[in-house]
Amino acid sequence: MIRQVLYSLFKKPATNLYPAQKLEMPKGYRGKLVFYPEKCIGCKMCMKDCPTGAITINKIAEKKFEAVIDLGKCIYCAQCVDSCIKKALEVTKDVTLAQLDDKKLKVVFGSDSENNRTEKQAP
Amino acid sequence: MHNSDKFKIPVGPQHPALKEPESFSLALKGEKIMGVDIRLGYNHRGIEKACEERTYIQDIYLIERICGICSHSHSTCFIQAVEEIAGVSVPKRALYIRTLIAELERIHSHLLWLGVAGHEIGFDTLLMYSWRDREIVMDILALLTGNRVNYGINTIGGVRRDISEEEKQEILKGINILEERTKYYIEVATEETTIIKRLSGVGVLNYDDTLRLDAVGPTARASGVQRDVRKDDPYAAYSEMDFNVITDNHGDVYGRTVVRVKELMESYQIVRQCIKNMPDGPIVVKVPRKIPAGEALSRYEAPRGEDVHYVKSNGTEKPERVKVRAPTLANIQAVKHMLKDRYLADMPIVVAAIDPCFSCTDRLIAVKNSNNKNNHTMTWEALHAYSIAWYKARGIDFAGLNKNLKKRLEGS
Ligand code: SF4
Ligand code: SF4
């Protein structure tokens, strides 16, 4: 007990100075999704299995698909990643997703030019 | 039960002493509790019904969110039922991983409880200590599954993530530290006079009442009832684990504390055995999306007691009926009994001692007057139409609201 008290007295604060110092997320953390349009074949298995209906795959041209992900609806379960046979979806460790404007929570992943992965806010 | 010479105080649904909305109405005579009315239903989320609208895969994530603390318990319990109907045999390695996560979850839940119990009796040092140690197991869970809660490790036919050798070493390291610390807690619980004095004789539930009221989990085991699904009806890999069912004969809050801290030691042993004996092989088998018609009941020893799930399938991708009985529902009647003739000041710790999880337990209560001849069962459509009419009579038109909502959604 006394040892604990002395130890706690001299040790650094356990808290992080957040914006300056960011915690490293554990390996395998399920954060924001990324979508690789060039791999997607449009089978829509991800849409079917998503528990919250957060992901929508739209056909934008022949053999070209875009993914609209509602970050506010997504529960970051990564079921869509498991369901995708083409590995067109992946999780990242990105956790700083808070927005004041709920429109910004809708993110569109699509390809503007050939095989170029782009990410933009939904209009 | 409540008459005029007794003072009636409501505790909850919103009350600083409760972390979740639940209503206790206490009839007091002086400081003494003469009777308790417990009313559930403030946090009913309609999960069982929602499960019927979703596929089995989607249900796993919904079921997992029944409880934040024992999320793995609920998802495993549900999946076991589905797997039984589908007749899949889950690979051994997957069963071991499920068992491992289950025990880590029990460790985190019991440490959490120890802190809460300490807090309720004003022993906040214990809260600080045990929650600090809980971080170790939370970090292990995050390492294995990616998340601290709602691990998402289960899938129908196995588990979603494998465990590597380095991760096993990390677990063992964490478990060794926790074991040392737990020995200290056992010492505190069995020797510290303030704890013994404060908890002994509080919230007594004797052996016969435990059986009569059907208490489960540590609450029952603290009254000397040898009841543990892990032993009685082994699931996952428990039939291959060597562990003891901890019981105690105090029958009070003190007994429940002792049972839980000693159970921690058993859990460390199970975790070690899981790691040592984990067989190689696949972690998941493919299960068709359509589950054949059938029904199954699955039992699971959650940290709070026996969890029961019933699943009925109809050959489609969605279940026809899912029924959940969380452990708190089995224990809540016992609370009523425990509080009788005790002092008001004991109420928080007695309620906390069953480690309640009201949101998991909550269900809709329909008050039915059996003398009323007009009683009849309503169909879903009739109920829907009735509710719209009910609101319309009060000036709220949902039909228009739905249309507006749709328009807005389409517009954005
Ligand atoms: S499951 Fe994969 S390939 Fe199929 S639509 Fe989704 S992202 Fe595309
Ligand atoms: S992570 Fe889960 S909730 Fe989010 S889009 Fe994928 S399946 Fe849906």
Side-chain angles (χ1 to χ4, degrees):
Chain A
M1 183 90 179
I2 293 288
R3 250 181 55 214
Q4 269 301 324
V5 172
L6 287 175
Y7 171 74
S8 299
L9 196 60
F10 293 110
K11 90 168 195 262
K12 283 201 319 234
T15 43
N16 272 47
L17 297 168
Y18 167 63
Q21 217 177 26
K22 285 191 180 140
L23 270 183
E24 176 64 20
M25 287 301 130
K27 187 183 117 260
Y29 183 81
R30 301 187 296 264
K32 187 180 173 183
L33 295 164
V34 281
F35 175 67
Y36 300 102
E38 64 279 6
K39 290 192 198 160
C40 178
I41 52 164
C43 68
K44 302 202 173 168
M45 263 349 247
C46 50
M47 262 172 89
K48 195 163 178 231
D49 281 346
C50 174
T52 59
I55 186 165
T56 319
I57 302 284
N58 295 327
K59 191 168 177 179
I60 44 174
E62 201 47 47
K63 289 201 180 138
K64 248 193 216 161
F65 301 92
E66 63 166 20
V68 184
I69 298 169
D70 189 336
L71 298 180
K73 269 192 190 170
C74 180
I75 54 171
Y76 306 98
C77 60
Q79 176 60 46
C80 51
V81 179
D82 286 9
S83 296
C84 179
I85 37 165
K86 290 287 165 193
K87 299 205 164 46
L89 286 158
E90 242 174 45
V91 277
T92 62
K93 289 187 182 177
D94 189 2
V95 283
T96 47
L97 307 174
Q99 292 288 357
L100 284 176
D101 181 3
D102 64 352
K103 288 215 176 68
K104 288 198 182 140
L105 285 172
K106 262 207 173 144
V107 181
V108 183
F109 290 96
S111 55
D112 283 348
S113 60
E114 243 3 82
N115 284 342
N116 205 0
R117 189 169 64 78
T118 51
E119 177 187 330
K120 60 173 193 262
Q121 303 294 343
Chain B
M1 183 171 65
H2 298 160
N3 34 23
S4 51
D5 64 328
K6 289 170 195 154
F7 194 70
K8 211 168 121 186
I9 58 164
V11 178
Q14 297 295 337
H15 193 274
L18 300 172
K19 272 90 195 161
E20 288 172 280
E22 212 66 284
S23 158
F24 294 86
S25 168
L26 306 169
L28 295 183
K29 202 169 194 175
E31 279 280 287
K32 223 169 186 182
I33 300 174
M34 306 306 287
V36 191
D37 262 346
I38 300 174
R39 178 140 186 220
L40 302 174
Y42 289 92
N43 214 358
H44 182 67
R45 293 167 290 172
I47 288 186
E48 291 175 357
K49 187 73 194 165
C51 280
E52 295 166 16
E53 312 276 306
R54 289 168 172 75
T55 65
Y56 290 98
I57 291 180
Q58 292 172 327
D59 281 346
I60 300 170
Y61 302 99
L62 183 61
I63 291 270
E64 196 165 45
R65 280 157 181 79
I66 288 179
C67 182
I69 310 287
C70 34
S71 56
H72 184 72
S73 306
H74 283 287
S75 73
T76 312
C77 199
F78 171 74
I79 274 175
Q80 281 176 177
V82 176
E83 282 162 354
E84 194 183 316
I85 301 172
V88 244
S89 66
V90 182
K92 261 258 168 84
R93 190 176 173 87
L95 291 179
Y96 267 75
I97 294 176
R98 278 186 194 169
T99 311
L100 177 67
I101 303 288
E103 285 311 312
L104 290 171
E105 182 178 77
R106 192 181 315 279
I107 294 166
H108 115 67
S109 175
H110 279 2
L111 283 172
L112 179 114
W113 179 84
L114 192 65
V116 171
H119 175 71
E120 297 291 4
I121 58 170
F123 190 7
D124 274 324
T125 315
L126 188 62
L127 166 80
M128 298 293 172
Y129 273 27
S130 64
W131 282 37
R132 172 199 63 190
D133 297 344
R134 183 171 160 264
E135 279 311 298
I136 300 175
V137 65
M138 296 308 272
D139 285 345
I140 296 177
L141 283 167
L143 177 79
L144 296 182
T145 66
N147 277 28
R148 287 161 60 93
V149 286
N150 295 336
Y151 322 110
I153 190 110
N154 277 325
T155 189
I156 298 170
V159 291
R160 293 170 66 198
R161 288 187 183 185
D162 206 354
I163 287 180
S164 69
E165 277 310 313
E166 300 93 74
E167 283 167 349
K168 284 185 187 168
Q169 294 315 316
E170 283 293 314
I171 302 171
L172 287 179
K173 242 192 268 166
I175 292 296
N176 287 342
I177 303 173
L178 282 171
E179 191 166 27
E180 277 313 302
R181 302 259 169 90
T182 307
K183 279 186 191 146
Y184 175 68
Y185 296 139
I186 295 183
E187 218 176 278
V188 170
T190 50
E191 286 170 22
E192 177 75 31
T193 33
T194 44
I195 288 208
I196 299 174
K197 285 237 159 73
R198 179 66 186 84
L199 300 181
S200 296
V202 175
V204 181
L205 188 70
N206 62 29
Y207 184 86
D208 294 333
D209 284 335
T210 310
L211 293 181
R212 186 172 60 85
L213 296 167
D214 250 337
V216 293
T219 312
R221 292 197 282 277
S223 302
V225 181
Q226 279 255 2
R227 212 184 252 176
D228 192 324
V229 186
R230 293 177 291 170
K231 266 274 193 281
D232 304 341
D233 183 10
Y235 53 91
Y238 283 109
S239 54
E240 288 159 35
M241 300 290 153
D242 178 26
F243 66 99
N244 299 320
V245 176
I246 304 284
T247 53
D248 191 90
N249 290 321
H250 284 87
D252 50 12
V253 178
Y254 177 66
R256 280 160 225 150
T257 314
V258 172
V259 165
R260 286 201 176 90
V261 288
K262 287 195 177 154
E263 261 180 24
L264 281 172
M265 296 304 267
E266 295 300 319
S267 289
Y268 302 142
Q269 289 314 322
I270 301 177
V271 169
R272 288 211 181 94
Q273 290 171 40
C274 273
I275 291 177
K276 202 167 130 232
N277 306 332
M278 192 173 286
D280 288 329
I283 55 164
V284 64
V285 287
K286 219 164 158 40
V287 180
R289 277 160 194 272
K290 287 197 173 137
I291 304 289
E295 55 180 353
L297 184 89
S298 151
R299 301 162 74 198
Y300 181 104
E301 186 72 20
R304 288 157 179 74
E306 184 190 20
D307 185 18
V308 181
H309 282 226
Y310 166 80
V311 179
K312 186 170 182 209
S313 58
N314 52 9
T316 61
E317 292 182 359
K318 295 171 183 172
E320 184 161 311
R321 177 82 174 99
V322 178
K323 164 102 192 99
V324 179
R325 206 245 25 219
T328 306
L329 190 71
N331 281 333
I332 200 94
Q333 280 307 317
V335 170
K336 205 166 161 171
H337 185 82
M338 290 174 205
L339 281 173
K340 191 118 193 351
D341 294 329
R342 292 300 313 178
Y343 293 107
L344 180 61
D346 290 340
M347 190 239 165
I349 183 65
V350 170
V351 173
I354 65 159
D355 205 353
C357 212
F358 294 123
S359 304
C360 324
T361 278
D362 250 351
R363 44 209 65 233
L364 205 72
I365 296 181
V367 182
K368 208 170 165 188
N369 182 1
S370 53
N371 299 326
N372 187 348
K373 290 215 177 56
N374 292 333
N375 264 339
H376 61 280
T377 322
M378 266 178 147
T379 61
W380 180 250
E381 288 75 28
L383 195 66
H384 188 234
Y386 176 78
S387 68
I388 288 177
W390 193 89
Y391 278 104
K392 214 174 195 168
R394 284 155 185 82
I396 306 167
D397 192 356
F398 273 126
L401 200 72
N402 283 346
K403 256 180 239 147
N404 283 346
L405 201 69
K406 211 169 160 201
K407 225 183 276 164
R408 269 188 59 190
L409 283 177
E410 275 164 3
S412 72

